[in-house]
Amino acid sequence: MTTPRKGRITKISGNMVTVRFDDPVMQNEVAYIQHGTERLKSEIIRVRANLAEMQVYESTNCLKIGEEVEFTGELLSVELGPGMLGQIFDGLQNPLPEVAGQCGFFLKRGVYIEALSDTEVWDFTPLVKPGDRVRAGYKIGSVVEKIFQHFIMVPFSLPGSYEVVTIENAGRFTIREAVAQIKDLNGKIYPVYLSQHWPVKFPIRAYAEKLKSGKPLVTRMRLIDSLFPVARGGTYCIPGPFGAGKTVLQQLTSRHAEVDVVVIAACGERAGEVVETIKTFPTLTDPGTNRPLSDRTVIICNTSSMPVAARESSVYTAVTIAEYYRQMGLNVLLLADSTSRWAQAMREMSGRLEEIPGEEAFPAYLESRIASFYERAGVVRLYDGSTGSVTIGGAVSPAGGNFEEPVTQATLKVVGAFHGLSRSRSDARRYPAIDPLISWSRYSSFIDKKQKERGHGILRKSNDVAQMMKVVGEEGTSLSDYTDYLKGEFFDFVYLQQNAFDMVDEATPKERQIYVFDFIYFILESEFIFEDKDTALHFFQQLRQLFKGWNSSPWKSQEFEKTEKEIRVFLLGRLKKG
């Protein structure tokens, strides 16, 4: 636009300001508030007559009525291109290390830095030639980013079919230099760069077909993979009270899950946890590639001390980056921690907009917003026949651990798996603290269905006997019931629990899970000879200790095979013959 469209502030309410305008504006348009030498980024969230209500992604301290606002005519967007892996961005895709270098320890408002370096050069290799027909999402070339071949694609915003006019030969280019030119059916020329922009609140749909999620995503967490699996391209949630281990579980999943790229959205979490994640990840080694874990990770950081409105942008920025790497045929895992903080930000802005509140003052559109976020997960078949996926796992932090609150309930309606964390399990140091009695999954596991159901059954039976013993005591329980109780405790201790401080036990590969679960199934189905309850208790205590050593033995090592033989010999002494 030749002349900028401007307005004036008429009202300020926390992180929401109302602006009077004369020229037309649009919903979700980005605007900047001019406050002295500062330009504060904002987004229009509602338009009424000639008044635009905007959420400000910065602190609104010292703003005044009558200050000028400039409308950009653009939607809230991110820049997508090589250079994102290993980066730490805020919710507006500002690279935080660069912002800290410019501002010091205390980040200043109104400071915005380009997400990707415009001076770094990339070795470009063309994949098309002049005359080829392409469309949005087609791969026209590639560069090497960390451990991946980063494909350069036709901008997702271009509709229809195009012809390649020119394509650069292999060489070194920055993201600001055009590497190709394409023309539409009317002869209009469009340049193609190494990077492109995309509005975060719109899903990327430059693919041939969206497929059904089916193949299990191996997280190497036994409790998840065996009993409550997650499908590649599926969705799951991890609700739990404070201190139950949500963040640790997500960090372990990000390290060991069999995916190509991990995007972490720290949405409104405590700064201490986020700082720990930022400091820890660069020092960790990816067990799959023996390279730094940060080489396949993007962190979107928006702590509880940052402006509340920015929580919404951080969630959408993260899922858009995840979709971008999916377009390259990669499998991406997005971990959002936590969506409750995002919902609380929506509640605050809804209150300032004076909307009719829903349950617990959350906005009436809470469910639809949460559903639209999780719907951006999935497996897609790209135009070249390859597939890519985005798997979304969201942590939920219900107040007081109450799973009946609106955010948890709205999430449960749309996700495919529910991993409910239990305060009692975390207090008992049973990690991961996922409660197997309340959790569920709609996805299929690589564990035999009959064996999985037997495992569930023995856990329920063990819990029933434990509750009964609280009333009648151990002496009022039959030996048979007491043995079922010990079997359930044994299964929980040796298989469902994992030691995150043990290099072997912290992550279990698929083949080992199948093998060990089959062995445990044999034990759960077997009948043993016990003279009394003390004998049964002593037997299972010894068996637990043997299995504990077995869990710490590397898969198929001499130590592993030796311990297995010891366990089998030990079992023979108590197995009922015939």
Side-chain angles (χ1 to χ4, degrees):
M1 298 183 181
T2 53
T3 57
R5 294 165 300 126
K6 297 185 177 181
R8 297 281 177 178
I9 295 177
T10 61
K11 179 183 176 182
I12 303 171
S13 176
N15 278 87
M16 192 193 78
V17 300
T18 303
V19 177
R20 186 181 303 278
F21 60 88
D22 295 320
D23 299 314
V25 299
M26 60 181 174
Q27 183 91 355
N28 299 123
E29 181 176 355
V30 172
Y32 286 93
I33 300 172
Q34 192 67 42
H35 177 72
T37 58
E38 298 176 323
R39 297 178 77 242
L40 309 184
K41 197 169 189 175
S42 314
E43 180 189 9
I44 297 175
I45 54 177
R46 189 168 70 181
V47 179
R48 294 191 295 182
N50 66 335
L51 294 177
E53 290 161 321
M54 309 190 313
Q55 58 181 359
V56 186
Y57 293 120
E58 305 280 6
S59 169
T60 56
N61 289 344
C62 301
L63 290 188
K64 300 176 182 177
I65 302 298
E67 289 191 306
E68 188 175 82
V69 176
E70 182 178 325
F71 301 100
T72 64
E74 299 175 352
L75 300 178
L76 184 65
S77 303
V78 292
E79 186 171 16
L80 305 170
M84 291 191 294
L85 291 179
Q87 268 288 11
I88 303 169
F89 299 110
D90 69 3
L92 300 176
Q93 211 193 9
N94 292 302
L96 287 176
E98 282 77 3
V99 175
Q102 182 173 324
C103 302
F105 287 108
F106 299 98
L107 305 184
K108 298 177 181 177
R109 68 179 182 180
V111 176
Y112 308 108
I113 298 177
E114 293 291 339
L116 305 178
S117 170
D118 54 8
T119 58
E120 186 174 359
V121 293
W122 301 89
D123 290 317
F124 174 76
T125 303
L127 297 176
V128 296
K129 59 184 183 300
D132 287 351
R133 302 298 300 184
V134 296
R135 60 185 300 180
Y138 266 59
K139 301 165 184 173
I140 65 165
S142 67
V143 300
V144 176
E145 181 187 17
K146 303 291 186 183
I147 58 176
F148 298 107
Q149 187 179 15
H150 185 118
F151 291 106
I152 307 306
M153 294 168 279
V154 175
F156 308 132
S157 58
L158 296 181
S161 177
Y162 298 81
E163 178 186 344
V164 178
V165 178
T166 62
I167 181 77
E168 294 288 346
N169 294 323
R172 295 168 64 81
F173 299 89
T174 68
I175 61 173
R176 304 293 176 233
E177 297 175 288
V179 293
Q181 288 186 327
I182 58 177
K183 68 176 180 180
D184 61 15
L185 298 177
N186 298 321
K188 185 176 180 181
I189 302 293
Y190 297 87
V192 179
Y193 301 89
L194 297 186
S195 67
Q196 58 177 297
H197 289 81
W198 183 259
V200 296
K201 294 187 178 177
F202 293 86
I204 299 173
R205 293 196 171 98
Y207 49 79
E209 182 184 12
K210 193 164 187 177
L211 307 174
K212 182 180 179 181
S213 304
K215 186 177 180 181
L217 170 66
V218 180
T219 65
R220 301 197 175 190
M221 300 292 109
R222 294 191 293 262
L223 178 53
I224 295 175
D225 292 343
S226 300
L227 299 186
F228 312 109
V230 177
R232 181 167 291 174
T235 56
Y236 67 101
C237 69
I238 310 175
F242 169 76
K246 293 188 296 296
T247 302
V248 173
L249 179 58
Q250 285 200 322
Q251 288 188 8
L252 286 170
T253 304
S254 66
R255 289 177 58 187
H256 299 293
E258 295 182 5
V259 294
D260 300 311
V261 175
V262 178
V263 181
I264 298 175
C267 175
E269 282 301 292
R270 293 173 296 280
E273 289 187 2
V274 177
V275 168
E276 182 182 353
T277 299
I278 292 174
K279 285 185 175 181
T280 302
F281 267 63
T283 65
L284 297 176
T285 301
D286 180 9
T289 62
N290 289 324
R291 296 278 299 271
L293 187 64
S294 56
D295 281 2
R296 65 179 183 95
T297 306
V298 182
I299 298 177
I300 311 298
C301 174
N302 176 239
T303 65
S304 56
S305 58
M306 293 180 175
V308 67
R311 296 179 188 178
E312 183 181 28
S313 64
S314 65
V315 170
Y316 288 115
T317 296
V319 73
T320 303
I321 292 175
E323 288 177 329
Y324 176 67
Y325 282 103
R326 177 205 66 192
Q327 291 297 123
M328 300 180 198
L330 300 175
N331 296 306
V332 186
L333 174 62
L334 168 59
L335 299 173
D337 187 10
S338 86
T339 55
S340 292
R341 310 287 188 253
W342 168 40
Q344 290 165 7
M346 279 193 284
R347 177 168 62 183
E348 180 171 328
M349 297 310 297
S350 176
R352 297 190 188 283
L353 289 170
E354 299 178 355
E355 296 173 332
I356 297 175
E359 187 179 356
E360 293 190 19
F362 285 103
Y365 47 79
L366 173 68
E367 288 189 11
S368 63
R369 289 282 180 88
I370 290 177
S372 65
F373 167 65
Y374 282 101
E375 283 169 0
R376 293 177 72 166
V379 181
V380 300
R381 182 171 59 83
L382 304 173
Y383 293 125
D384 62 0
S386 63
T387 60
S389 68
V390 172
T391 306
I392 298 181
V396 186
S397 305
N402 175 25
F403 291 170
E404 300 301 317
E405 58 89 39
V407 181
T408 305
Q409 289 301 307
T411 304
L412 290 181
K413 292 178 181 178
V414 296
V415 296
F418 165 63
H419 301 156
L421 299 182
S422 164
R423 167 64 68 193
S424 60
R425 283 184 69 85
S426 65
D427 287 346
R429 300 295 185 265
R430 300 189 177 196
Y431 293 110
I434 298 172
D435 191 337
L437 300 177
I438 64 172
S439 301
W440 50 261
S441 173
R442 297 190 181 100
Y443 304 119
S444 58
S445 170
F446 48 71
I447 298 295
D448 180 77
K449 185 177 180 180
K450 179 183 175 182
Q451 294 182 353
K452 188 176 78 166
E453 289 177 351
R454 175 56 176 160
H456 275 141
I458 199 67
L459 288 171
R460 287 192 292 268
K461 175 68 173 176
S462 176
N463 180 69
D464 291 343
V465 175
Q467 298 305 316
M468 182 175 64
M469 286 194 299
K470 291 180 180 179
V471 178
V472 301
E474 185 180 311
E475 61 278 1
T477 308
S478 67
L479 180 59
S480 174
D481 284 344
Y482 188 68
T483 302
D484 286 337
Y485 162 72
L486 292 176
K487 283 183 177 180
E489 287 291 290
F490 161 75
F491 179 43
D492 191 340
F493 181 87
V494 304
Y495 194 82
L496 303 188
Q497 298 176 49
Q498 286 178 257
N499 184 0
F501 296 100
D502 188 291
M503 293 290 290
V504 175
D505 195 34
E506 71 172 359
T508 307
K510 172 183 174 181
E511 295 76 14
R512 179 167 182 159
Q513 290 189 48
I514 295 173
Y515 185 83
V516 174
F517 199 101
D518 185 66
F519 191 10
I520 291 178
Y521 174 73
F522 165 75
I523 296 174
L524 298 180
E525 288 290 273
S526 298
E527 293 187 32
F528 298 95
I529 302 172
F530 299 122
E531 295 78 19
D532 50 38
K533 294 172 186 172
D534 287 340
T535 305
L537 177 62
H538 184 64
F539 169 80
F540 277 104
Q541 284 177 338
Q542 287 183 288
L543 188 61
R544 282 168 52 169
Q545 290 304 312
L546 287 171
F547 261 87
K548 185 177 180 180
W550 200 33
N551 286 340
S552 299
S553 305
W555 172 235
K556 289 188 175 180
S557 65
Q558 289 184 349
E559 182 184 356
F560 180 89
E561 294 174 354
K562 178 183 177 183
T563 307
E564 181 182 355
K565 288 179 181 177
E566 291 179 9
I567 294 173
R568 292 187 182 276
V569 171
F570 180 74
L571 289 172
L572 286 175
R574 288 291 175 181
L575 280 175
K576 187 175 182 180
K577 302 298 188 290

